[in-house]
Amino acid sequence: MAQSQMTFCVPMPKACLQAKEIGCCALQPGGWLLVECYNEQQLGRGTGGPPTAELMVSLHELEQAFSGFQMLHAENTVRSIVEGSGHNGEGAVCQFIARKL
């Protein structure tokens, strides 16, 4: 039976390096990595997310950090955010799905 793990966190500086460690060490070959995080275009929207760009992860950073993975979806997009008080409205996010080879 396949096991799965989901983690939610607000990234700190150098989050991609930490995510890469987790993804490379914790995932078994064939394991899936799914990431959705606010990107820099979220600043000033007032619909949630970190207050500075330094706390956000870019699509480019994810693509670099997981370049050894099979990338299945990598996109910056704007989507509806409905996550409670202070997190409602349009949100600029980076979506990334990859599979460990």
Side-chain angles (χ1 to χ4, degrees), residues 31-45:
W32 294 82
L33 176 72
L34 289 81
V35 177
E36 181 175 78
C37 53
Y38 290 111
N39 63 38
E40 289 183 13
Q41 295 171 345
Q42 177 65 13
L43 294 173
R45 289 181 178 267

Side-chain angles (χ1 to χ4, degrees), residues 49-63:
T52 65
E54 291 78 25
L55 297 176
M56 297 180 182
V57 180
S58 74
L59 189 58
H60 178 70
E61 289 171 316
L62 288 168
E63 290 170 336

Side-chain angles (χ1 to χ4, degrees), residues 45-92:
R45 289 181 178 267
T47 56
T52 65
E54 291 78 25
L55 297 176
M56 297 180 182
V57 180
S58 74
L59 189 58
H60 178 70
E61 289 171 316
L62 288 168
E63 290 170 336
Q64 284 189 320
F66 298 100
S67 62
F69 283 44
Q70 175 189 14
M71 286 183 232
L72 302 166
H73 178 78
E75 175 182 32
N76 283 316
T77 190
V78 175
R79 72 168 186 88
S80 178
I81 303 291
V82 182
E83 298 173 351
S85 177
H87 291 85
N88 288 304
E90 296 294 301

